[in-house]
Amino acid sequence: MFFGFLQGLFGVPELSSPEGFQIVQNNALRNTESLVEKVCTTPASAETVKIFDQLSDELCKVADLADFVKVAHPDPSFRDAAEEACRNIGTMVEKLNTNVELCESLRKLLENRSVMESLDPETRRVAELFLIDFEISGIHMNEKKRQKAVNLNMVIADLSNDFLMGSNLPNRIDISVIPEHIRSHFSWDGKYIQINGLNADCPDDLVREAAYKIFLYPNSSQMKCLDELLSSRNELAQLVGYPTFAHRALLGTMAKTPETVMQFLEKLSSKLRERTLKDFKMMLEMKMKLNPMNPELMPWDPPYYSGVLRAEKYNIEPSLYSPFFSLGACMEGLNSLFNQLLGISLYSEQPEKGEVWSEDVRKLAVVHESEGLLGYIYCDFFHRAEKPPQDCHFTIRGGRQKEDGEYQLPVVVLMLNFPQSTKSSPTLLTPGMMENLFHEMGHAMHSMLGRTRYQHVTGTRCATDFAEVPSILMEYFASDYRVVNQFARHYQTGQPLSKPMVSRLCESKKVGAASDMQLQVFYSMLDQIYHGKHPLKGSTTDILRETQESFYGLPYIPHTAWQLRFSHLAGYGAKYYSYLMSRAIASMVWKQCFVKNPFDRVMGERYRKEMLAHGGGKEPTLMVEGMLQKCPSVDDFVEALVSDLNPDFETFIMDSE
């Protein structure tokens, strides 16, 4: 299997039809078996790690590609075939992680001091990471327990999938329950009204209240699914020797332990408390001004009233900005920024027939001024029916040093949901969409510029609480007038976006920012408690109520179960705090390295060398230390987040040019 310019998804010739998944999967499984045999008979040396990485590459290049196709391909038969391939590769991974002979060959290497000392730091780290995969799968246990661990992993994968699906399902209610004058806000079929979300931006308080209470009304099968997911995760963690699932999940992260995460969240929460109360007070005053009959701020209010406050104070109606943010202009802006900072250009390439899954997907070659082609980004940018609504970055193939000395170029997909162009105008982005584009492109650059020898640690395959740093850092660039001024032009007149408009946009983000961050602290706390000590003290809803009242400040609404909609519990189990920690680091990097000059090539090269180049092949704290030239503490993280809330931060930057 290889990537080239042949017909078939991503240039993989077999994938011109759904049946091709069976072929690529069988090839990978066959190659895996011969690599297992090879590694078990190879004397302990650097070669051992190389073969382990080949093994990982064989499985990942099918699993990663299939992982994307199963959610994004418009053809259900492709989606089904990809899902089946994911399941089969996943089963093989579980088997390998409990293969004693395979683990033994790695242990021999790690226990051979003279060989270990002769290895470079990246090879040593990759060997240790492979061993961690064995240990968290219970390799040290007897066969019966190992089999139990394999079974539990498979159960957890299925439950995570079910929970994810259930978290997005609409709730239905008899139409007679909803007051007649607000029914038109919801979709309905004769007898039932269907609630698909929280209607958070609706100006009518009653509509938001109804949506909140109905959409978050507990569903017993989703409740059972979450309970089983949390107890299975806890059982697995304890089976393989960890006190809680959080302890197991946080191995290799920057935080390292649940205790550090809790310390970070508690300190941040106490620093935010007064500012959050101030935010709530402003929202309540606005609510009473608009609706004096409802004198209490409720959990369905903040998104709406902070939006009203933003609009009133700063006049940031998206339609004022969108004409300046055509997709073409934004892509030019990214190209120019990457060129100045990193010496990189993005070139559009014509995909072969069958190479892409939708005719509006664009293929970009990422080219360095002296190193040449670095990899490919497929841009799946436009909304289409059945496409998942989230904005995501997918690794399709990781970079690595191949046996023949060539470098296997990384391939990624960026999936966003932009409107199509019309006869009268190109695709125009709201400021939020523009920021999302910069965010996802930060992930893509991490993938493109990672130059690790091993694909097991390529690009974004690093600690979760470090993986979001490059993408969040890009949001700071997207909020800087000097950057925006390079590309924001009115699509009809060519007029640049004015400095006061960018300044207003930046300052408007401070409105309600403390309470938004407090909400993230609450979600992160909930995630830690659910994945902490079991048995849990009460039901997941009891814990939600208690945590909401302690770490958010707005009342819990009886007969609601927001946790059943918290889809990140599936993918980020015990690691949801990562967004906050990554934002803290991105903030420090921005203020220390780029705030004086966002186009500073020397800093851009340092950023590549210290942070982007290593993927997960270097301890994340060492990468941060290399970039900031100091090792930040929990207090530094908290301080960075809180200082971002201060008014006039960006205005100060703009005025200090």
Side-chain angles (χ1 to χ4, degrees):
M1 167 175 166
F2 59 93
F3 284 70
F5 297 99
L6 292 164
Q7 194 171 338
L9 284 176
F10 298 104
V12 179
E14 294 88 344
L15 296 184
S16 54
S17 71
E19 293 70 34
F21 271 105
Q22 186 78 49
I23 300 168
V24 294
Q25 167 206 296
N26 291 346
N27 289 345
L29 296 176
R30 235 192 339 272
N31 293 343
T32 299
E33 281 172 18
S34 61
L35 285 165
V36 169
E37 205 172 304
K38 186 177 174 185
V39 80
C40 292
T41 53
T42 299
S45 64
E47 187 63 23
T48 307
V49 184
K50 274 189 201 159
I51 304 169
F52 261 92
D53 193 62
Q54 278 174 265
L55 249 175
S56 173
D57 187 53
E58 274 299 330
L59 296 168
C60 286
K61 67 186 178 190
V62 178
D64 291 340
L65 192 156
D67 218 27
F68 167 72
V69 173
K70 77 175 186 186
V71 295
H73 203 290
D75 181 342
S77 54
F78 262 102
R79 293 201 300 269
D80 293 346
E83 187 156 359
E84 178 65 15
C86 276
R87 197 174 295 113
N88 294 334
I89 297 284
T91 305
M92 175 55 97
V93 170
E94 293 305 336
K95 281 184 183 162
L96 293 179
N97 282 342
T98 51
N99 181 320
V100 177
E101 199 184 348
L102 192 58
C103 180
E104 215 37 58
S105 63
L106 188 63
R107 270 198 216 282
K108 279 179 192 157
L109 169 67
L110 289 158
E111 286 164 6
N112 188 326
R113 224 163 115 200
S114 62
V115 175
M116 283 302 281
E117 281 168 4
S118 72
L119 302 179
D120 62 276
E122 187 186 356
T123 303
R124 269 203 301 274
R125 177 166 167 81
V126 172
E128 285 158 5
L129 289 171
F130 276 122
L131 185 65
I132 287 173
D133 286 344
F134 281 115
E135 287 176 346
I136 65 175
S137 297
I139 196 72
H140 49 285
M141 304 182 305
N142 63 39
E143 194 174 342
K144 192 177 170 189
K145 285 186 173 175
R146 279 200 309 277
Q147 191 50 52
K148 190 175 179 187
V150 170
N151 295 342
L152 273 169
N153 267 311
M154 286 158 76
V155 165
I156 289 165
D158 287 342
L159 287 167
S160 297
N161 223 5
D162 293 348
F163 182 76
L164 212 49
M165 301 285 283
S167 66
N168 293 310
L169 289 177
N171 267 349
R172 294 168 84 226
I173 192 164
D174 195 293
I175 196 165
S176 61
V177 177
I178 301 282
E180 200 168 332
H181 68 285
I182 64 167
R183 287 175 192 169
S184 61
H185 290 275
F186 307 110
S187 56
W188 48 292
D189 55 352
K191 193 169 167 4
Y192 293 101
I193 276 191
Q194 190 153 292
I195 312 277
N196 296 298
L198 295 174
N199 290 45
D201 297 328
C202 181
D204 189 319
D205 287 356
L206 189 59
V207 171
R208 294 195 314 280
E209 179 180 350
Y212 189 94
K213 288 178 172 175
I214 298 164
F215 188 63
L216 300 183
Y217 190 79
N219 169 309
S220 57
S221 64
Q222 181 74 343
M223 186 77 82
K224 185 168 179 278
C225 181
L226 177 59
D227 289 344
E228 285 177 8
L229 176 61
L230 297 176
S231 74
S232 299
R233 281 176 169 171
N234 181 65
E235 188 182 352
L236 175 67
Q238 295 203 328
L239 177 69
V240 299
Y242 295 91
T244 68
F245 184 78
H247 284 88
R248 179 182 183 269
L250 295 175
L251 284 177
T253 59
M254 280 189 295
K256 291 191 168 60
T257 67
E259 292 73 22
T260 306
V261 176
M262 288 304 242
Q263 185 193 14
F264 166 60
L265 294 173
E266 281 165 1
K267 284 189 170 190
L268 179 56
S269 186
S270 70
K271 287 268 185 170
L272 289 173
R273 187 156 285 124
E274 276 181 38
R275 292 169 188 253
T276 300
L277 291 173
K278 205 167 151 190
D279 280 358
F280 287 158
K281 184 168 178 277
M282 274 169 30
M283 290 174 205
L284 181 58
E285 284 166 1
M286 177 55 78
K287 182 174 182 177
M288 289 174 74
K289 185 171 140 189
L290 296 179
N291 188 353
M293 304 300 291
N294 273 342
E296 192 180 355
L297 195 69
M298 301 306 275
W300 49 82
D301 290 331
Y304 175 69
Y305 287 107
S306 58
V308 172
L309 286 162
R310 269 194 287 275
E312 186 181 74
K313 195 170 177 187
Y314 295 105
N315 187 20
I316 46 141
E317 174 55 45
S319 62
L320 294 173
Y321 287 85
S322 292
F324 296 90
F325 294 143
S326 71
L327 178 56
C330 294
M331 291 303 289
E332 277 305 314
L334 283 161
N335 197 19
S336 167
L337 176 64
F338 293 147
N339 202 278
Q340 292 169 82
L341 263 189
L342 299 157
I344 277 168
S345 299
L346 307 172
Y347 294 102
S348 187
E349 274 196 12
Q350 184 60 41
E352 295 292 305
K353 185 169 161 37
E355 189 182 340
V356 293
W357 49 100
S358 179
E359 59 189 21
D360 54 17
V361 173
R362 300 284 173 266
K363 181 184 181 184
L364 297 179
V366 180
V367 180
H368 188 270
E369 60 193 20
S370 60
E371 296 163 38
L373 182 62
L374 294 180
Y376 290 103
I377 302 170
Y378 288 84
C379 302
D380 186 354
F381 281 169
F382 301 103
H383 175 78
R384 64 175 177 269
E386 288 192 39
K387 182 177 169 182
Q390 311 89 308
D391 296 340
C392 309
H393 160 276
F394 290 86
T395 298
I396 300 299
R397 181 181 68 182
R400 71 180 184 107
Q401 197 68 51
K402 291 196 291 190
E403 298 64 58
D404 60 7
E406 286 273 302
Y407 197 78
Q408 176 170 292
L409 297 178
V411 175
V412 303
V413 173
L414 294 189
M415 189 165 79
L416 293 127
N417 276 277
F418 296 152
Q420 291 277 6
S421 56
T422 64
K423 279 181 185 163
S424 56
S425 79
T427 290
L428 301 176
L429 308 186
T430 63
M433 288 174 184
M434 183 272 279
E435 193 176 89
N436 285 357
L437 174 63
F438 270 66
H439 177 102
E440 296 305 333
M441 203 50 99
H443 283 309
M445 283 301 119
H446 198 180
S447 292
M448 294 295 117
L449 290 167
R451 274 300 175 266
T452 53
R453 199 172 316 169
Y454 306 102
Q455 77 80 40
H456 192 64
V457 290
T458 186
T460 55
R461 290 182 214 248
C462 56
T464 314
D465 51 9
F466 181 80
E468 291 295 327
V469 174
S471 51
I472 293 172
L473 180 62
M474 284 299 291
E475 294 175 23
Y476 288 88
F477 284 96
S479 298
D480 187 283
Y481 178 70
R482 293 159 298 180
V483 176
V484 174
N485 186 46
Q486 287 209 334
F487 69 88
R489 297 282 179 277
H490 196 287
Y491 76 99
Q492 286 168 317
T493 65
Q495 173 199 353
L497 186 61
S498 72
K499 195 168 179 177
M501 278 183 80
V502 179
S503 184
R504 282 208 310 271
L505 190 60
C506 292
E507 280 306 301
S508 75
K509 289 177 189 171
K510 306 287 169 65
V511 176
S515 57
D516 278 350
M517 199 179 284
Q518 187 72 58
L519 187 63
Q520 292 301 311
V521 170
F522 155 47
Y523 295 166
S524 303
M525 272 289 183
L526 196 62
D527 178 42
Q528 286 301 305
I529 296 165
Y530 284 167
H531 291 101
K533 204 164 165 26
H534 277 239
L536 296 172
K537 291 179 183 167
S539 69
T540 56
T541 306
D542 294 336
I543 292 164
L544 171 83
R545 181 178 60 243
E546 199 178 306
T547 312
Q548 182 167 330
E549 284 163 4
S550 306
F551 289 98
Y552 186 41
L554 292 184
Y556 163 78
I557 303 302
H559 313 298
T560 64
W562 177 83
Q563 76 277 19
L564 304 182
R565 300 290 184 183
F566 188 14
S567 58
H568 284 299
L569 285 173
Y572 276 78
K575 292 191 277 199
Y576 189 75
Y577 76 91
S578 297
Y579 285 107
L580 287 167
M581 198 169 269
S582 292
R583 182 165 292 282
I585 293 159
S587 170
M588 288 186 232
V589 171
W590 171 254
K591 288 172 198 161
Q592 195 176 308
C593 307
F594 296 109
V595 83
K596 286 200 185 82
N597 174 11
F599 310 109
D600 186 333
R601 182 67 185 264
V602 173
M603 279 301 169
E605 292 298 341
R606 177 157 122 197
Y607 175 49
R608 181 182 178 183
K609 178 172 162 279
E610 296 293 348
M611 290 182 106
L612 296 178
H614 305 287
K618 191 174 179 181
E619 189 81 42
T621 29
L622 294 177
M623 293 191 266
V624 174
E625 199 174 332
M627 189 67 200
L628 298 173
Q629 323 240 284
K630 70 169 257 190
C631 186
S633 64
V634 165
D635 288 328
D636 292 329
F637 291 154
V638 170
E639 189 47 48
L641 288 169
V642 173
S643 70
D644 268 4
L645 301 172
N646 295 334
D648 301 323
F649 174 60
E650 281 89 353
T651 309
F652 158 73
I653 296 161
M654 294 170 198
D655 294 341
S656 65
E657 289 174 49

